[in-house]
Amino acid sequence: MNLYVLVASFLASSVEFIEALSIVLAAGVVYGFRFALRGAIYAVITLGLLVAVLGEGILRIVPLHILQGIVGVLLLLFGLKWIRKAILRYAGLKSLHDEDEAYQKQISRLKSSNKGSFEAQATAYNGVLLEGLEVVVIILTIGSGAHAFGSAIAGAAVGLIVVLSLGVAFRAPLARVPENTLKFVVGVMLTSFGTYWAGQSMGIRWPLSDATLLLLIAGYIIVSAMSVRILKKGGVGAS
Amino acid sequence: MTFKKWVKKVYGLFVEDSLLAALSLLALAVVFLISHIGLSRSAGLILFILISVSIVLSVLRA
């Protein structure tokens, strides 16, 4: 079991599960949970098929070092996107992502529609499929890069269980979970993994081997904190 | 969904700021050259610095 992979996968997929849960809850509250859950289940089946087809099969075709390079670049881009968003949000340049607000918007959109159960089912399906697709990317990239599919899947599964338990317990869009902070942490982790693997495939010999990841994580946290400070000092207002 | 839309969606999954994406890819190309001229140990630090600078530049122009 690879602990780094497990934690990264857990954090990254939890964020996506929270967003998917908000959409399913919104659809369920308006039209009943039967239709919303049916849409969610169809989406989970679609995603399961995707992982089954794209998962282990890749490792049999593509050599590990090439896969690490491709995966590293994708993770780096994915992580940088999240870090950038988090920095801009902390600096007040981008409005904070509010799951509660997103949930209310989803409910009013569904209420204004007359398509009924199909709308609820389709909304839940689309929401779970889109957010789940990101989870699939996370599992495939982290799992194949470290040759640790088991740990990546386990991390995502724990994330799913935790988010579902919270969802059942609170029956609310989990606004209490500090999603922006979680996204920032995930962004830092993905960027660090991406830097490490992409760099390794470009010929870098990391001095401390896997432990370099901890240095990269610390480094990106410092860089992000400095960026937020610079932006705040610049006196930029929220948009 | 048309192919163009699908490509756009996949692109959007990984890239929000094209400058940041381009700079990080450029950083990887630079360390590829550096590590192949025998500086494979310092290349890691250079990659980290280049990507950090890219992040700062990207958020500053936001």
Side-chain angles (χ1 to χ4, degrees):
Chain A
M1 188 64 71
N2 186 326
L3 194 66
Y4 290 122
V5 169
L6 192 130
V7 173
S9 172
F10 165 71
L11 289 173
S13 26
S14 296
V15 172
E16 306 305 334
F17 288 137
I18 288 170
E19 290 177 11
L21 183 68
S22 289
I23 296 166
V24 175
L25 284 174
V29 164
V30 178
Y31 292 113
F33 281 93
R34 214 179 92 205
F35 299 110
L37 284 176
R38 193 186 290 169
I41 288 167
Y42 288 158
V44 169
I45 293 170
T46 312
L47 291 167
L49 287 172
L50 271 176
V51 176
V53 172
L54 298 175
E56 287 285 352
I58 286 180
L59 289 175
R60 294 198 191 99
I61 303 163
V62 188
L64 184 63
H65 69 281
I66 293 177
L67 197 62
Q68 277 185 337
I70 297 167
V71 161
V73 171
L74 292 179
L75 271 188
L76 183 62
L77 294 175
F78 203 46
L80 284 172
K81 181 181 148 183
W82 283 26
I83 281 190
R84 184 177 181 274
K85 263 187 194 169
I87 291 172
L88 294 178
R89 280 178 178 146
Y90 282 134
L93 267 171
K94 205 175 171 96
S95 57
L96 286 171
H97 191 182
D98 188 345
E99 279 306 317
D100 202 30
E101 195 187 313
Y103 174 74
Q104 293 304 336
K105 267 187 192 166
Q106 193 73 247
I107 285 187
S108 25
R109 193 181 68 79
L110 285 172
K111 277 185 174 161
S112 63
S113 160
N114 294 318
K115 290 171 192 162
S117 60
F118 177 77
E119 173 82 356
Q121 197 170 298
T123 303
Y125 179 84
N126 284 334
V128 173
L129 190 70
L130 276 181
E131 302 302 340
L133 203 59
E134 296 202 35
V135 176
V136 170
V137 170
I138 289 160
I139 291 175
L140 288 179
T141 49
I142 299 180
S144 56
H147 214 310
F149 268 115
S151 305
I153 291 170
V158 174
L160 178 65
I161 292 166
V162 169
V163 171
L164 276 181
S165 312
L166 288 172
V168 170
F170 294 109
R171 281 201 168 225
L174 306 178
R176 287 173 192 85
V177 178
E179 197 199 334
N180 295 301
T181 307
L182 201 57
K183 272 193 165 168
F184 170 65
V185 173
V186 171
V188 167
M189 287 195 81
L190 294 182
T191 305
S192 305
F193 272 95
T195 306
Y196 184 80
W197 284 328
Q200 195 159 287
S201 72
M202 296 293 157
I204 293 176
R205 280 167 54 211
W206 296 106
L208 300 172
S209 201
D210 280 2
T212 309
L213 276 168
L214 297 175
L215 290 179
L216 287 171
I217 289 169
Y220 283 127
I221 289 174
I222 293 169
V223 169
S224 306
M226 277 168 52
S227 303
V228 173
R229 186 171 270 211
I230 292 169
L231 287 175
K232 278 188 172 171
K233 268 192 178 172
V236 281
S239 59
Chain B
M1 193 185 284
T2 62
F3 182 70
K4 207 174 166 187
K5 271 189 180 174
W6 185 82
V7 170
K8 256 189 173 176
K9 230 173 183 121
V10 173
Y11 177 79
L13 199 64
F14 294 98
V15 178
E16 191 183 55
D17 179 24
S18 44
L19 175 79
L20 179 57
L23 286 176
S24 54
L25 293 178
L26 190 67
L28 284 171
V30 169
V31 294
F32 176 79
L33 294 174
I34 290 173
S35 58
H36 282 80
I37 56 165
L39 296 168
S40 56
R41 282 198 169 265
S42 348
L45 182 63
I46 294 169
L47 178 61
F48 170 73
I49 291 170
L50 288 177
I51 289 177
S52 300
V53 170
S54 308
I55 293 172
V56 176
L57 283 176
S58 168
V59 295
L60 279 180
R61 69 176 207 122

